[in-house]
DNA sequence: CATGAATGAGAGTTCATTCAT
DNA sequence: CATGAATGAACTCTCATTCAT
């Protein structure tokens, strides 16, 4: 993979444009309908351009995932960092994550489509499995920090992290069928549940 | 849809065999690779046989889902019914559900593949969305029952049900990357978390 | 081809039943939709029965054609024979033919479907070409007879026969789009046209 | 449907080439044998190319029909227009139509194959039924014009038009079994028949 | 840089036919 | 006699990819 800095400005702009088009198609029509032809049409370019700028469909979809994850990181990072380590950081994490999900529905929808649609390849880890694992691990670390500060009781941090991440991720799916879901309220309830459930 | 009783013994056996083959392929190679050709090859029959016994791929995949859900129902049903309504029933639900997941990994893997892979059709509800919704609703009812018995405090039962179902479902995904996961232990932790989190 | 007399009564009844079913499907749904499965379903038997009673689909369709042609012959034959040779016989031919077409729309529709749908085989005469040719020849003979009696002038009888047969056959097609067509009136006009056109 | 002018020169050439190949296969082997594979093989390209240039088989076959009809129009139009309205125009119509049929046997053969082979779709008019109807109507109008000029007597113009069109169309079928048919002579006989039959 | 054109593999589906029971 | 079951070939169509221009 070439780094961003090795690319010209125009090239980066084209890639950005294509990735955005892919997100649009994925969000609106789903993984199966997100053919290169459909994406090219949405962007208003020819299929060849995509092949020219991306090694293949896989790289394009990776870029979609990376793009959304990067945005999420940019949004959540400062908020979590600003919080006091431990319970407060956990709250910031959950709140900012759900805020982000609520505010970037299309991007999240596209992300989930790629995660769900990508076929596993024999002999390789599940597609985007490492990313998931990293997220769980990071969350487990925050919970452990809460234990260290004494705000949280003893429990298996990985198990709790798995449950919490799943509970957060469920919202994207939920929003599809119920766009009027009050995400803020869900965040509050989720935090109350986990705080009380994991409190000392 | 014809009923089981309108089918001959041989036909039911073939359908069963094909459904099992589909589950195998789905579990091992994922949704995208589960072509009729692949399934037929796995079973050792020709593609035409599948078309002969099923109206189409959709019906076959529906049968895969129905089959696993029916098995789950058979396993969980008696255990939940036997328990005292309220908290005890909730415990039976979570335990038996995770037990079932642990004991039917391939079936669950296949189920998830179908749920994830099935492309949405314009103007229709998300594929198997109703089934998901039903599961959440059933769980919410159990939580409400716990509130009525006084074992659980007041909270949004739907929100909690969403989180709990997501936390349970996460296990199937988890088992793919970590087959050694101690599901029993996860069940215990999950129950502790939710019981304490939702207790009066 | 076995003769009728070499068949048991039951067998003949079954063949009749299947041929009638084929006519129904052909008339209602067209050649392309007239699969053995569709015909078997319409009759209420299994596909195998058809294969048992007919050497193949070709023989079945031949039988459909033969059946309708035989009916037409039974209807028209006596009427034409009863007429005085020459112009009167010609009138009887055209009238009774159009009468028959008008009264056996489904059979004619089926007949036309088979004639149109049957794919030509390399090295063989056009399907049912001989039957068509026979019909033209017969008609040409009647016209020649009219010339001999002096009722008709000199002209190429084959050319006129071709035109007349085509003008008659056109009615079946016409009836499809315009079921209210007044066939009697068409017959009258057609006869006037040809009589005057070919009169001495 | 895109217009010709929105297509590149190369694309138009390819479409032309494919349409010609389709005509060849249709004329030589009939509708049933005119699969995309057969057409592609005849042209010497891969099946995909056809799908690339045509939305589907239907569009290709429509193009075959349109192509032949357009050629016919180009040939007949000026000849009919140049003639004095009434009987003379009618003569020009019949003569030029049969001339065209005689000179474009393969195209006509292909046209007839498509017309005959195209399966009817439930709820829609018969395939290319409107085109047929238009042809009959146009002919009826010419006959009516002949009545207005006093060259023709009173009769049902639609009935006569149906018969005349059928008599003309019969030639294509006839040419298949009898390639040596003298079309000119047939045209002469047909005109004499109809002129005398419809004359005042 | 970008395009249009072409490829070829693979998808699901249909269907006439065969055969053991 | 009749059936249900199975076959295997052929069908149209889709799509990621490649390539000459």
């Amino acid at each position: 993979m070439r780094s961003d800095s090795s690319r010209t400005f125009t090239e980066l702009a084209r890639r950005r444009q294509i990735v955005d088009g892919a997100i649009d198609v994925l969000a609106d029509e789903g993984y199966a309908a997100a053919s290169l032809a459909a994406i090219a049409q949405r962007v208003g370019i020819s299929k060849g351009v995509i092949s020219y700028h991306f090694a293949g469909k896989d790289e394009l979809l990776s870029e979609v995932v990376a793009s959304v994850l990067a945005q999420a990181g940019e949004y959540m990072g400062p908020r979590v960092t600003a919080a006091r380590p431990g319970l407060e950081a956990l709250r910031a994490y959950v709140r900012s994550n759900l805020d982000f999900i609520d505010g970037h529905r299309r991007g999240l929808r596209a992300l989930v489509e790629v995660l769900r649609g990508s076929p596993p390849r024999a002999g390789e880890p599940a597609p985007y499995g490492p990313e998931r694992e990293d997220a769980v691990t990071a969350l487990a670390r925050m919970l452990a920090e809460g234990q260290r500060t004494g705000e949280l009781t003893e429990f298996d941090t990985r198990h709790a992290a798995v449950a919490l991440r799943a509970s957060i991720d469920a919202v994207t799916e939920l929003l599809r069928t119920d766009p009027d879901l009050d995400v803020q309220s869900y965040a509050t309830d989720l935090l109350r549940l986990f705080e009380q459930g994991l409190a000392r």
Side-chain angles (χ1 to χ4, degrees), chain A:
Chain A
M1 209 210 304
R2 288 163 57 203
S3 68
D4 275 11
S5 51
S6 75
R7 295 196 163 92
T8 67
F9 174 77
T10 338
E11 184 169 3
L12 284 176
R14 259 281 191 252
R15 285 174 66 95
R16 181 74 250 159
Q17 189 189 16
I18 293 169
V19 165
D20 286 342
I23 289 177
D24 281 347
V25 176
L26 284 162
D28 292 345
E29 307 177 43
Y31 183 87
S35 66
L36 291 192
I39 295 168
Q41 194 184 15
R42 174 87 57 140
V43 178
I45 57 178
S46 83
K47 270 191 301 177
V49 187
I50 301 181
S51 295
Y52 181 82
H53 285 286
F54 293 89
K57 196 182 187 184
D58 286 359
E59 195 197 306
L60 170 54
L61 295 186
S62 296
E63 194 80 2
V64 166
V65 171
S67 156
V68 177
L69 290 186
Q71 281 185 281
E74 282 167 29
Y75 183 84
M76 294 171 62
R79 283 165 179 76
V80 171
T81 310
R84 189 160 35 78
L87 197 52
E88 202 182 303
L90 181 67
R91 284 187 191 124
Y93 178 94
V94 173
R95 286 248 174 243
S96 66
N97 200 340
L98 284 167
D99 271 0
F100 182 80
I101 289 173
D102 198 18
H104 297 74
R105 300 182 175 199
R106 292 175 69 77
L108 263 292
R109 190 70 246 139
L111 176 72
V112 166
E113 286 296 328
V114 176
L115 298 193
R116 300 206 156 172
S118 297
R121 263 178 255 237
E124 292 186 29
Y128 306 101
E131 281 84 347
R132 285 179 220 248
E133 189 55 34
D134 288 353
V136 168
T137 308
L139 195 43
R141 246 198 314 268
M142 299 185 65
L143 291 168
E145 187 67 26
Q147 291 177 326
R148 200 146 358 106
T149 62
E151 294 163 305
L152 298 179
T153 183
E154 288 307 309
F155 54 85
D156 184 318
T157 53
R158 182 168 156 78
H159 286 175
V162 163
L164 183 47
R165 267 254 51 92
S167 298
I168 294 172
D169 290 337
V171 166
T172 293
E173 199 58 39
L174 224 59
L175 280 171
R176 180 154 61 165
T177 51
D178 178 11
D180 297 329
L181 178 75
D182 182 345
V183 179
Q184 300 281 354
S185 154
Y186 181 78
T188 305
D189 289 353
L190 199 58
L191 274 175
R192 188 183 309 144
L193 166 62
F194 273 81
E195 283 180 39
Q196 186 171 339
L198 304 175
R200 172 166 297 276

